[in-house]
Amino acid sequence: MEINELHQKAQAARYLALELAHNANESHSGGALSMADVLMTLYANYLNNSPELQHNDNRDRFILSKGHCCSLYYAILAEMGFFTKQKLLENFAKNGTHFFAHASHTLPGVELSTGSLGHGLPVSSGLALGAKRSGKSFDVYCIVGDGEMDEGSNWEAIMMAAHNKLDNLCLIIDKNQMQALGDTKDVLNLNPMGDKLRSFSWNVIEIDGHDYEQIIAAFDNFKSCKGKPTVIVANTIKGKGVSFMEHNLKFHYSAPNDEELKKAKEELL
């Protein structure tokens, strides 16, 4: 998919995610919007996974560790044909359905139920190790939030993955610099993130997570890197694409109201 189309698809996914949040009065829109460009590029251009490959052992695996931001993830899965947008809009966060407000493995295309932070990368590392030991050729991709990197389980997985030279593992850190209680630098400063990860013997790529040329180059780098796992530190903006949501902690917690949704549509589409 070319860059212009990737951008259009990502913008549409952002708006659908906001529609879901608005209709269900659900939170976490800001963190959903920040990862849209990276996740759309991954699914459209790199991830060997589709509705037809769900029972294929050699399909690539993707795990959204920041499972509270699943509205955007679901929007992209709908775009890729795992389920319809209409079904998603009708069922998101409603009782009696599987479209939970945190990522659920009961939905087509979702490998792991997530939301309790710090679990996605350890599971992804285990999947990558299992693939290596069983001679399978699939890659494993995992997105975590930068606030989620406070979890010690992530750093245990980082050590294990490097020790086992898991070059089939790509970690993506959505570094939007905000978490539930404020700016990440004020809650628990993990900078310089890239240098820390290099010291753990990972292939570290630091990019603008909204620049498609950089995103594409980063995934190409991962595909060609041998002998060590890769981490893409994607510097992003919480609430990206909607002016009044950008860098606004309010939208970690609140859904857009009618007027805000209307304004967001004007900016995104």
Side-chain angles (χ1 to χ4, degrees):
M1 194 177 288
E2 298 297 325
I3 287 176
N4 286 343
E5 187 176 1
L6 285 171
H7 176 68
Q8 291 173 0
K9 296 285 189 183
Q11 293 291 81
R14 284 184 167 102
Y15 180 67
L16 179 52
L18 292 181
E19 277 191 289
L20 297 174
H22 168 268
N23 294 349
N25 195 28
E26 283 289 340
S27 52
H28 306 307
S29 295
L33 270 56
S34 62
M35 66 180 180
D37 303 306
V38 169
L39 194 54
M40 180 58 75
T41 304
L42 174 61
Y43 264 86
N45 287 11
Y46 291 92
L47 194 73
N48 181 35
N49 201 325
S50 67
E52 295 74 30
L53 293 177
Q54 289 310 284
H55 300 292
N56 186 322
D57 284 347
N58 274 318
R59 72 188 184 279
D60 288 344
R61 272 64 164 179
F62 169 74
I63 290 178
L64 177 68
S65 192
K66 45 180 284 184
H68 55 291
C69 295
C70 67
S71 58
L72 191 284
Y73 181 28
Y74 291 172
I76 289 180
L77 287 175
E79 176 65 34
M80 296 298 150
F82 287 88
F83 40 76
T84 67
K85 294 178 184 179
Q86 188 61 37
K87 187 173 183 180
L88 174 57
L89 282 164
E90 290 174 354
N91 291 284
F92 180 68
K94 290 187 177 178
N95 291 335
T97 80
H98 292 281
F99 288 89
F100 304 121
H102 286 65
S104 171
H105 75 280
T106 61
L107 288 175
V110 181
E111 300 284 350
L112 181 71
S113 295
T114 53
S116 182
L117 300 177
H119 291 179
L121 181 57
V123 172
S124 297
S125 300
L127 286 169
L129 180 61
K132 287 283 189 183
R133 292 187 172 178
S134 60
K136 297 189 184 301
S137 60
F138 64 83
D139 291 325
V140 183
Y141 299 83
C142 177
I143 289 184
V144 304
D146 52 346
E148 186 182 357
M149 291 297 291
D150 296 352
E151 299 280 358
S153 53
N154 283 323
W155 295 95
E156 292 177 41
I158 285 166
M159 286 188 287
M160 187 277 277
H163 176 78
N164 288 284
K165 298 179 169 50
L166 299 182
D167 53 17
N168 57 342
L169 175 63
C170 181
L171 169 64
I172 302 151
I173 300 176
D174 182 19
K175 193 169 184 278
N176 62 33
Q177 302 184 61
M178 300 184 79
Q179 60 190 103
L181 299 179
D183 291 349
T184 52
K185 65 179 175 59
D186 298 325
V187 177
L188 185 60
N189 190 0
L190 294 178
N191 290 321
M193 181 80 75
D195 290 345
K196 285 183 170 65
L197 293 160
R198 288 184 189 92
S199 75
F200 280 77
S201 300
W202 279 57
N203 174 38
V204 180
I205 310 161
E206 299 185 71
I207 65 168
D208 176 343
H210 305 303
D211 183 313
Y212 286 97
E213 291 184 353
Q214 292 186 39
I215 295 168
I216 289 166
F219 283 127
D220 286 345
N221 184 313
F222 160 62
K223 298 295 285 187
S224 64
C225 179
K226 303 302 177 185
K228 59 173 62 176
T230 290
V231 54
I232 299 171
V233 181
N235 292 285
T236 61
I237 296 171
K238 194 152 187 162
K240 173 66 176 177
V242 182
S243 58
F244 58 86
M245 296 180 69
E246 292 186 356
H247 304 293
N248 189 343
L249 191 61
K250 168 187 172 182
F251 291 101
H252 187 92
Y253 296 102
S254 63
N257 60 32
D258 292 347
E259 184 60 29
E260 288 168 338
L261 184 65
K262 180 180 177 182
K263 290 180 180 178
K265 185 175 184 179
E266 293 171 355
E267 295 188 22
L268 290 170
L269 302 181

